[in-house]
Amino acid sequence: MLELNHISFDVETEKGTKGILHDVSLKFEDDKFYVITGPNGGGKSTLAKVIVGIDTPSQGRIIYDGEDITDLSITDRARKGISYAMQQPVKFKGIQVIDLLRIASGKPLTRMECCAYLSEVGLCANDYVDREVNAALSGGELKRIEIATVIARGTRLSVFDEPEAGIDLWSFQNLIHIFERMQKKLSGTMIIISHQERILKIADEIIVIADGRVVKQGPREEILPGLLGTDSAVAACAELEKGDA
């Protein structure tokens, strides 16, 4: 279980200290699928970075499986079984997809095993396994390769920050199918930051964050109906859906 206890995060600006997160307390249970949503600039991505160790909270503690990991680096948290997929996947010039999967898994994967991970995310393995992870790949291809590395790691906690960002409709539709498959055979906790209604609809629980605070939290069936078609925290998701149509 992951617990965030009274987390606050401040940054220093020219005008002084600015609060990004304010006294956030959350519990993420094992083997559940969470979606965190809310308006742009509300603190969602900052919360993800605090969880994985990119940012250190100004106040509060982070407890993972009963251990205080607040002061651990992103590397140490990764070793404890926490994965992170960024909004914009990193390009690695000179590194092939097969090498990236082997690095992610921490094991000497066979070519067949690497191909299996690529197939899980809907990529024709023979077309991609020897490709270089560079700008020649589209946003959707990079997203799916990044998700394949998360699957290869097999960690108990995976955090995805707006996985739909920068990809086309076809890639997004395939992304939804990937998350649906991951949810069905979930062997750990998934946390996705997203505005998208179609991602919200496959969550076990939805957390709404606005102005750096948790404003709503609960099972999908309770939270989602109150969000759609209103001017509340995730009204933006309806507009995004219209744009996809």
Side-chain angles (χ1 to χ4, degrees):
M1 176 184 289
L2 174 70
E3 299 179 57
L4 307 182
N5 296 327
H6 305 289
I7 295 295
S8 294
F9 181 76
D10 303 325
V11 294
E12 295 298 326
T13 70
E14 293 180 356
K15 297 181 179 180
T17 301
K18 179 180 179 181
I20 307 298
L21 298 174
H22 309 281
D23 196 29
V24 173
S25 291
L26 291 166
K27 287 185 179 181
F28 298 93
E29 298 178 5
D30 295 338
D31 303 327
K32 294 187 75 171
F33 186 162
Y34 295 86
V35 176
I36 300 175
T37 193
N40 290 330
K44 304 183 303 298
S45 291
T46 298
L47 182 63
K49 291 175 182 177
V50 166
I51 289 172
V52 302
I54 294 175
D55 291 332
T56 301
S58 305
Q59 295 181 30
R61 311 306 295 173
I62 303 170
I63 309 300
Y64 183 55
D65 287 344
E67 178 185 355
D68 189 334
I69 63 169
T70 311
D71 299 319
L72 294 186
S73 68
I74 185 171
T75 301
D76 289 334
R77 295 187 202 197
R79 289 172 178 153
K80 289 185 177 296
I82 298 176
S83 293
Y84 179 53
M86 296 177 284
Q87 284 188 35
Q88 299 298 328
V90 177
K91 302 176 183 68
F92 299 93
K93 187 176 181 179
I95 295 181
Q96 293 179 308
V97 172
I98 190 170
D99 297 322
L100 191 61
L101 288 167
R102 286 169 174 166
I103 292 169
S105 72
K107 298 176 291 186
L109 297 176
T110 65
R111 186 182 181 85
M112 185 175 295
E113 288 172 324
C114 290
C115 287
Y117 287 125
L118 292 173
S119 296
E120 281 194 56
V121 297
L123 293 176
C124 180
N126 288 330
D127 292 342
Y128 288 92
V129 70
D130 294 319
R131 295 267 307 263
E132 191 173 298
V133 188
N134 59 21
L137 294 167
S138 71
E141 290 169 331
L142 286 168
K143 288 280 187 182
R144 283 190 274 176
I145 290 168
E146 183 179 46
I147 293 171
T149 65
V150 172
I151 296 172
R153 287 204 68 215
T155 51
R156 292 182 50 245
L157 174 62
S158 302
V159 181
F160 299 85
D161 190 359
E162 296 196 21
E164 70 273 16
I167 64 173
D168 55 56
L169 176 59
W170 184 87
S171 296
F172 175 67
Q173 290 171 335
N174 281 276
L175 190 67
I176 295 297
H177 296 321
I178 292 166
F179 285 134
E180 286 175 333
R181 290 196 296 271
M182 289 178 71
Q183 182 198 33
K184 287 178 182 177
K185 60 177 186 179
L186 190 65
S187 58
T189 302
M190 286 176 58
I191 302 172
I192 298 182
I193 312 294
S194 180
H195 289 293
Q196 284 285 353
E197 180 181 349
R198 279 173 281 184
I199 293 180
L200 291 166
K201 283 182 175 178
I202 60 175
D204 293 317
E205 291 198 16
I206 296 173
I207 298 164
V208 182
I209 291 182
D211 297 323
R213 294 177 172 85
V214 177
V215 295
K216 291 185 180 181
Q217 177 185 8
R220 176 192 65 242
E221 295 81 3
E222 294 180 10
I223 302 299
L224 185 58
L227 297 178
L228 302 180
T230 73
D231 59 357
S232 66
V234 292
C237 75
E239 293 303 316
L240 286 169
E241 291 296 326
K242 290 177 185 176
D244 287 339

